[in-house]
Amino acid sequence: MIWVFASPLMSVPDEPAHTIKAAAVARGELTGSSTGKQGEQTIVIVPRYIAMISAQGCFAFKIAATPACAPPIDATARDLVQAQTSAGNYNPMYYAMVGLPSRFMAGEPAIYLMRLISALICSVFLAATIGAAASLRRRFWPMASCLVSITPMVLFLNGSINPNALEIVTTSALFLNLCVVLQYHRRLETVRTSIVIVGISGAVLANTRALSLLWLALAVVSAVLIFGIKPIVAVVKNRLGLAMTALIGLGCAASLAWLVAANSLSSLTGTPSDVTPDQAFVTMLDRSFDYASGYIGIMGWLDTGAPAAVYAFWHFAFAAIIIGGLTARPLRARPAVWILLVAVLILPPILQAQVIQQIGYIWQGRYLLALFVLLLLACGVAMRMRPTPRGPWARSLSPWLFAGAVGVHVYLFVFVLRRYTVGLQTHTNWTEMFDPLWQPPLSWQGLTIAYLLVLIVGAVIAHRILFPRTRRLPRNVERPEAELIVS
């Protein structure tokens, strides 16, 4: 939520296009007009202050520039004019919710409220994901993988006007809540909330982006591979389970109908290339690990990479979770991990090769972030039968790991604020932040303190979930025989 205010307006990739699309959909214009030619932008009708919103991104791709270059947003410019957007024929569901403030507000307040609505919706699904991880019987490893999957990039996108964020959190909410339902398939009356979340998150996910149907299918298949066919049959036989299955089916049908009718994939923009599909496939395969940085944090318009310490921390965490999933027992859980890992590696080359000659290389790590998060969560669920580290060494190490996670989150947050308040110069200019060229709402100091406090509270709660306190018996009380045998 704090990223809503920390990121300058239009500082997230494609945010102007999504903002214009949201304002158009809020006024009933679902598609706009275009010839349907690959890469051609769609023309829609929006308020003038929305149509001119791209000017707010004057600092994009210029790491030494600050948002101080952006002109004021004229809140009185509410007359309707034409505007172009590359998201014109995207599914309108997300935009219908986010665009509402533009109907009764104008200027910066309207844009920030649009961001807030997006962040609130995403936060609900993110909370449902964490709650599901904590609800599993053996929750340590699923919960640990869930925490690792909440990278700075996930939080950064959640604070923007971009359906990429909703795609990520609905994928994770669908998968983990489905795992809860399948695990408790003999007592479905105890997991009714999770059943409803599965239905809602699945229907919403299906209508976020063009590739979301694929993520939905992989999430469901992965959960079934881990828990088996019998639990899913029991869910479908349940009245509420059947209703939520029907809801997901309707969501998928609506998504497919929109994809066909609106030809959403033709919105992709870029520069034509003479690279052959085969060459593009091999090149993308060779760059597989280069895009991993996009799962962690490449902020702004891909112009602000994270400090090396941030990448190091998360790369180590990713490796630990994925290796744990690949070596998980029982063995029946491993196929799901392998399928998702292969998909993470092979899908970018396949998808990029299809459009290389029409729009060139356009791939970004965030495009696959929903699938990568799904891979991490599947690894955690696959590892759930592993022994839970409860010894003195684990308890002494865990606070340092949580402190490290909080530290790198805050480090990147302040680093990004430095980039926007004073720009990234050839010299080290941390102290110049106290005389900023640009300030976010509530000041960068206030936002940093708030971010730190939220992270600390979250870390304390997560630590107590992973390492619950056990009551110690008085010294004069004899321990049960079973406990003596275990010890």
Side-chain angles (χ1 to χ4, degrees):
M1 196 77 68
I2 298 173
W3 277 107
V4 168
F5 304 104
S7 299
L9 294 180
M10 307 302 111
S11 64
V12 179
D14 303 324
E15 193 171 21
H18 296 303
T19 302
I20 293 171
K21 167 72 172 180
V25 172
R27 287 162 177 78
E29 191 172 11
L30 302 185
T31 56
S33 59
S34 73
T35 63
K37 183 180 178 181
Q38 178 69 63
E40 182 178 285
Q41 299 212 7
T42 300
I43 298 175
V44 295
I45 306 298
V46 295
R48 185 180 299 275
Y49 77 92
I50 294 287
M52 300 173 65
I53 202 68
S54 294
Q56 298 299 305
C58 57
F59 52 87
F61 311 112
K62 306 170 186 176
I63 61 173
T66 73
C69 64
I73 299 177
D74 185 2
T76 64
R78 304 182 70 166
D79 56 308
L80 298 179
V81 299
Q82 289 187 344
Q84 290 186 331
T85 173
S86 59
N89 53 4
Y90 283 16
N91 194 300
M93 182 209 64
Y94 168 81
Y95 303 99
M97 298 182 289
V98 173
L100 286 176
S102 69
R103 292 302 306 268
F104 56 87
M105 298 177 65
E108 285 191 10
I111 307 300
Y112 277 116
L113 187 54
M114 290 169 71
R115 274 187 168 188
L116 272 172
I117 290 175
S118 180
L120 283 170
I121 295 170
C122 292
S123 295
V124 169
F125 286 105
L126 188 58
T129 300
I130 298 171
S135 299
L136 289 165
R137 284 199 195 104
R138 294 175 174 266
R139 64 188 182 187
F140 184 90
W141 293 111
M143 186 67 181
S145 68
C146 182
L147 296 175
V148 170
S149 72
I150 305 174
T151 66
M153 195 65 179
V154 172
L155 300 180
F156 172 69
L157 291 172
N158 277 10
S160 69
I161 301 172
N162 193 319
N164 198 175
L166 186 61
E167 176 187 46
I168 296 165
V169 294
T170 49
T171 300
S172 57
L174 167 66
F175 173 73
L176 278 183
N177 279 277
L178 181 56
C179 288
V180 171
V181 172
L182 297 181
Q183 188 175 71
Y184 291 92
H185 70 278
R186 291 189 177 89
R187 294 184 295 148
L188 290 175
E189 68 281 358
T190 65
V191 290
R192 294 176 65 86
T193 300
S194 287
I195 295 175
V196 173
I197 293 174
V198 168
I200 295 174
S201 58
V204 173
L205 171 61
N207 291 276
T208 51
R209 289 162 62 89
L211 291 175
S212 297
L213 284 171
L214 179 56
W215 309 153
L216 191 157
L218 287 171
V220 173
V221 169
S222 300
V224 172
L225 285 174
I226 292 173
F227 289 93
I229 295 293
K230 185 177 178 181
I232 199 70
V233 172
V235 173
V236 174
K237 288 182 178 179
N238 177 270
R239 183 177 298 177
L240 181 60
L242 183 60
M244 292 301 103
T245 302
L247 178 60
I248 294 176
L250 289 173
C252 292
S255 175
L256 285 171
W258 180 266
L259 284 173
V260 173
N263 192 21
S264 295
L265 293 177
S266 68
S267 290
L268 299 175
T269 60
T271 304
S273 170
D274 57 1
V275 177
T276 66
D278 290 345
Q279 290 174 323
F281 181 90
V282 174
T283 300
M284 287 293 296
L285 199 60
D286 188 48
R287 295 178 181 175
S288 293
F289 292 99
D290 296 341
Y291 291 105
S293 297
Y295 309 148
I296 300 167
I298 300 182
M299 310 312 212
W301 285 75
L302 306 184
D303 55 22
T304 307
V310 177
Y311 288 136
F313 182 91
W314 250 278
H315 283 315
F316 178 83
F318 290 165
I321 294 295
I322 293 173
I323 291 173
L326 293 173
T327 59
R329 290 181 180 275
L331 295 179
R332 74 176 188 186
R334 294 187 190 180
V337 177
W338 276 108
I339 288 174
L340 293 174
L341 181 59
V342 170
V344 166
L345 295 175
I346 204 70
L347 280 178
I350 292 175
L351 295 172
Q352 177 64 83
Q354 301 302 310
V355 295
I356 186 64
Q357 294 185 326
Q358 291 80 24
I359 54 178
Y361 286 105
I362 62 165
W363 194 260
Q364 300 175 28
R366 66 184 178 89
Y367 293 164
L368 204 70
L369 190 48
L371 180 59
F372 187 75
V373 166
L374 177 59
L375 168 62
L376 294 176
L377 296 178
C379 287
V381 176
M383 286 193 290
R384 71 192 187 282
M385 303 305 292
R386 284 186 179 276
T388 301
R390 298 292 189 201
W393 181 79
R395 287 186 175 274
S396 63
L397 177 63
S398 59
W400 289 101
L401 291 176
F402 276 98
V406 170
V408 293
H409 265 295
V410 174
Y411 182 21
L412 178 55
F413 186 79
V414 179
F415 183 83
V416 173
L417 284 171
R418 172 191 167 199
R419 181 260 182 271
Y420 290 126
T421 55
V422 294
L424 298 179
Q425 310 296 335
T426 54
H427 62 280
T428 302
N429 60 342
W430 288 101
T431 56
E432 294 176 16
M433 291 180 68
F434 293 97
D435 185 22
L437 300 174
W438 173 84
Q439 273 278 30
L442 306 178
S443 78
W444 72 264
Q445 296 96 327
L447 292 176
T448 300
I449 293 172
Y451 197 62
L452 176 61
L453 291 176
V454 169
L455 287 172
I456 290 175
V457 171
V460 170
I461 294 173
H463 188 269
R464 289 184 177 179
I465 292 174
L466 291 176
F467 298 92
R469 293 179 179 178
T470 55
R471 289 195 308 169
R472 293 184 179 182
L473 294 173
R475 293 183 179 181
N476 58 344
V477 176
E478 186 174 342
R479 287 192 285 176
E481 182 179 352
E483 185 178 345
L484 293 173
I485 293 173
V486 172
S487 60

